[in-house]
Amino acid sequence: MSKRPTFSVQAPSAVVMVRPHHFTVNTETAADNHFQVAGTGGEDLAPLAHAEITRAAETLAAHGVTVHLFEDESRTTPDSVFPNNWFSTHAGGHVALYPMKAPSRRRERRADVIEMLKTDYRVQEVIDYSGLEPDGLFLEGTGAMVLDHIDRVAYAVRSDRTDPIALERFCTHFNFEPMAFDARDDKGAAIYHTNVLMCIATDFVLIGLDMIVDRARKAEIVARLERSGRDVLALSNRQIENFAGNAIELQGKDGRLLALSTTALAALTPEQREIIEQSAICVALDIPTIERAGGSVRCTLAGVHLTPRG
């Protein structure tokens, strides 16, 4: 297949990251996040997580990605390292704020991030969906949805964190077609966030097809992705467990890159890597401590799909 030009609306050239000072695994979210690893007691994970985000930000910046790094010194926001869940940005100057299931995660929303976006980029409107929280309607950003910015499709695994009403509302406002489906792991547990089993890049898709419950819906999703001209790389459940689906394509100074964890990269087959690297350089970030909280590189990066000022 012919590869698309280097510039792609799918791959942002800037990201927001949050460096935690009091990182810990969030017990409040453990019930439905089966990727989390419980602590063994007495461990101080905070210095390790702080160092991991520091190194990750430096690595991305060295590849030409603009990194807006914010500090979190709060002790009441254990998942603040995953900012992609509470806001997203969109071409044309649009920003969305999302309703979060866990009360501790609602405290992650911060005005200084939005003010930075308004100052450094052209922002026309901020749509705030957080008012849906009292009604129990949650949609946890680009964790709940994996967005195809080229074909305007929002892929979403149904869960307590992805309500169909909230999804429909977002898609109407932002001009995406919703494509919801059910997904479960080997033990029959529902997948909590779509972005742990799916990554859409410009020329390829990483997706855990074995986790999609309904065979007809699975075939429909594959057909839709193939029609978009992308290579569909099926990930095994084992690869998903190692966060191979939790990656994000970014624009660097030398072309597109796929940011993923060292855990995820090691889980990919040589054949999968060869297809990916026809289109994007693999940039591995070492974040094993943060992965214990149930998310990986994609979760730590909120892409900036906005036009810079000036």
Side-chain angles (χ1 to χ4, degrees), residues 68-95:
H68 301 283
L69 185 60
F70 287 79
E71 307 295 331
D72 179 35
E73 299 186 15
S74 169
R75 295 179 182 271
T76 63
T77 50
D79 279 331
S80 63
V81 72
F82 303 135
N84 81 304
N85 299 137
W86 68 263
F87 81 97
S88 66
T89 64
H90 303 267
H94 308 287
V95 178

Side-chain angles (χ1 to χ4, degrees), residues 88-283:
S88 66
T89 64
H90 303 267
H94 308 287
V95 178
L97 305 180
Y98 293 103
M100 308 289 284
K101 180 184 176 186
S104 63
R105 301 223 57 193
R106 299 169 193 175
R107 293 191 288 269
E108 295 171 26
R109 290 189 291 260
R110 43 195 291 179
D112 58 347
V113 172
I114 304 305
E115 288 307 312
M116 179 279 295
L117 294 174
K118 290 178 177 178
T119 300
D120 291 6
Y121 299 89
R122 298 193 180 280
V123 174
Q124 303 298 324
E125 66 171 348
V126 178
I127 298 180
D128 187 354
Y129 298 104
S130 63
L132 297 173
E133 286 167 351
D135 298 318
L137 305 178
F138 310 120
L139 184 68
E140 296 189 342
T142 52
M145 303 176 290
V146 172
L147 301 176
D148 182 344
H149 292 273
I150 297 172
D151 268 24
R152 310 301 296 175
V153 181
Y155 295 88
V157 174
R158 296 184 187 94
S159 75
D160 290 346
R161 307 190 192 198
T162 308
D163 184 89
I165 295 172
L167 174 65
E168 192 73 41
R169 194 168 297 185
F170 166 85
C171 288
T172 299
H173 283 154
F174 286 87
N175 192 31
F176 282 89
E177 174 194 344
M179 186 164 279
F181 57 98
D182 296 309
R184 298 187 177 276
D185 63 19
D186 286 338
K187 301 180 179 67
I191 300 300
Y192 82 107
H193 271 165
T194 313
N195 74 359
V196 296
L197 67 75
M198 189 176 190
C199 164
I200 298 179
T202 301
D203 294 320
F204 61 89
V205 178
L206 301 167
I207 181 169
L209 292 175
D210 291 344
M211 291 184 167
I212 300 176
V213 175
D214 184 86
R215 292 177 64 181
R217 192 59 161 165
K218 181 191 306 187
E220 191 178 350
I221 290 168
V222 171
R224 186 62 185 268
L225 292 168
E226 288 178 340
R227 275 203 310 275
S228 74
R230 295 178 170 97
D231 291 312
V232 178
L233 305 180
L235 300 176
S236 69
N237 287 14
R238 178 69 175 159
Q239 288 177 310
I240 296 295
E241 290 167 6
N242 284 283
F243 296 108
N246 195 244
I248 180 174
E249 186 184 51
L250 302 171
Q251 179 68 45
K253 64 178 186 289
D254 298 318
R256 294 192 295 270
L257 58 93
L258 185 71
L260 73 174
S261 73
T262 52
T263 308
L265 184 61
L268 294 175
T269 68
E271 293 77 18
Q272 290 167 335
R273 284 191 62 173
E274 183 179 358
I275 293 171
I276 290 167
E277 289 175 347
Q278 290 172 11
S279 175
I281 303 164
C282 288
V283 175

